[in-house]
Amino acid sequence: MQPLLSSMCVLFFLSGCLSLPSLGCGEAYEEMHAGDYSIDSITLDATTNQLSVVVKNEEGASGFIREVESLEQDQTIWIALYIQHNGQTTSIRGEDTGHSWTVSGDSSNGDSWVSMVTFTSPDGFCDSGCEEIRFSAGYYDGVFYHDGTCESSPWFTV
């Protein structure tokens, strides 16, 4: 009886993503849908082993990549790129200033993105291999989904 009850609870909370694609993704999806993104390009330079990932905002709000006091807004969209390499997963966030990656948006100041955000690793980042990347974006009450699907962060091969 306990496994059945546990299974029912899990299904109840996931019901928004279990609907048929032709019916949309359910109420939970509609409530959390902040927009859609796609991966525009994944480039690995064979000479320098520098990884560059460009993400395109297909539908949804633009937002700040990092907190900028002079541009304070009610809504900041948090973004992250996850990279599986050398048996580990590394995460790069736009608001992190302590990493050696460059994260820039397509706005004039580079601190926000309207339709594109670019993550660029330092030279040699993929010396020991980069296998997959995953992008996620969201804000306090919403999630960006991949390309109109119910998936918020699928893995892509480098």
Side-chain angles (χ1 to χ4, degrees), residues 45-85:
D45 186 300
T47 306
T48 64
N49 280 327
Q50 180 184 60
L51 178 65
S52 179
V53 179
V54 179
V55 179
K56 185 176 181 183
N57 183 0
E58 295 289 341
E59 172 194 326
S62 58
F64 291 100
I65 295 169
R66 52 195 140 262
E67 303 263 343
V68 178
E69 193 173 317
S70 64
L71 301 172
E72 206 53 51
Q73 296 284 320
D74 293 335
Q75 184 169 299
T76 297
I77 295 176
W78 295 281
I79 61 172
L81 182 70
Y82 301 90
I83 306 98
Q84 286 187 353
H85 69 105

Side-chain angles (χ1 to χ4, degrees), residues 121-155:
S121 78
D123 287 353
F125 179 81
C126 292
D127 282 349
S128 59
C130 289
E131 295 95 39
E132 295 179 304
I133 61 103
R134 180 174 65 133
F135 173 78
S136 68
Y139 57 95
Y140 67 94
D141 65 353
V143 175
F144 277 69
Y145 289 97
H146 173 253
D147 206 13
T149 67
C150 291
E151 288 191 76
S152 58
S153 300
W155 286 98

Side-chain angles (χ1 to χ4, degrees), residues 12 17 23 26 46 49 59 76 89 93 101-102 135 141 147:
F12 174 78
C17 289
L23 301 174
N49 280 327
E59 172 194 326
T76 297
T89 300
R93 300 179 191 284
W101 283 63
T102 302
F135 173 78
D141 65 353
D147 206 13

